[in-house]
Amino acid sequence: MSAGDFESRWLSPDVNSVWTRFLQVTHRLEHHIDRRLQEQHGITHTQYEILLRLADSDERAMRMSDLADSIVTAKSAVTYQINKLSEMGLVSRKKCGRDNRGIWVHLTEDGSARLEQAAPCILSLVRELFLDAISCDQAAELDKLLGTWSDNLDAHDRNPVAYPGHPGAEAA
């Protein structure tokens, strides 16, 4: 594959194959994680990510809009998930004192317990389905590629997402 392959209007077959394989692998990985979490812990991967973000935040709470940005999804999708998590007693909601339009989402004790129970499942799956399949050198190369893609997305995005190790992560 050469750089010229990326310049035509349509993807060449080999470049299209890379893109298609990337999509298939990421979707399959997400499906495996989602299915296992639902079977063993009664939550989806998205719900796990929400609980994790809340646990990692100050006072185990975030504004709904910031939560949506942190998991890179639409606010309506987060609202749907928060409704489900609230029904399970894993989060609670409160109006923002300074801004009546804002909603704060708080991790409950039950939510913290569910997150703690589900974490070993996620870690096991990450190792089994992702890390065990590649060498340390391949992981380092993948990290470089992901950094390149993330930087490119940041350059095209009005709200870049800070991730651990990213130059702007500490400020975010």
Side-chain angles (χ1 to χ4, degrees):
M1 241 180 298
S2 70
D5 292 335
F6 296 105
E7 294 175 8
S8 69
R9 178 175 172 173
W10 302 104
L11 297 178
S12 66
D14 56 339
V15 173
N16 187 58
S17 176
V18 169
W19 175 244
T20 301
R21 181 173 278 192
F22 171 79
L23 291 176
Q24 289 173 338
V25 167
T26 56
H27 292 309
R28 289 176 64 202
L29 184 61
E30 178 69 24
H31 174 75
H32 279 280
I33 292 170
D34 202 50
R35 188 182 68 213
R36 186 88 55 94
L37 277 173
Q38 287 183 49
E39 288 171 356
Q40 294 183 4
H41 301 284
I43 58 174
T44 66
H45 190 208
T46 300
Q47 291 166 344
Y48 175 88
E49 288 294 323
I50 289 170
L51 297 176
L52 184 63
R53 294 298 191 284
L54 291 171
D56 288 344
S57 65
D58 293 338
E59 299 180 36
R60 300 174 0 151
M62 291 179 77
R63 283 180 65 109
M64 189 92 89
S65 58
D66 294 335
L67 189 54
D69 290 343
S70 77
I71 64 169
V72 192
T73 194
K75 289 178 180 88
S76 60
V78 168
T79 300
Y80 173 81
Q81 295 298 339
I82 294 301
N83 287 341
K84 294 291 187 188
L85 289 168
S86 182
E87 289 170 10
M88 291 186 264
L90 305 180
V91 301
S92 64
R93 285 180 286 216
K94 294 180 185 166
K95 285 197 177 215
C96 180
R98 295 172 283 153
D99 175 5
N100 285 335
R101 294 179 305 159
I103 301 288
W104 281 91
V105 180
H106 296 264
L107 182 65
T108 64
E109 290 302 321
D110 287 346
S112 184
R114 181 78 59 96
L115 178 64
E116 222 171 285
Q117 293 164 356
C121 176
I122 287 282
L123 296 174
S124 172
L125 284 168
V126 167
R127 286 183 183 103
E128 175 188 343
L129 301 175
F130 187 71
L131 294 174
D132 289 350
I134 60 176
S135 70
C136 289
D137 289 343
Q138 288 172 316
E141 185 60 33
L142 180 57
D143 186 49
K144 287 180 191 174
L145 289 170
L146 292 169
T148 300
W149 286 325
S150 184
D151 291 345
N152 188 49
L153 289 168
D154 288 350
H156 291 86
D157 196 346
R158 286 181 266 153
N159 299 309
V161 175
Y163 59 89
H166 187 268
E170 294 78 28

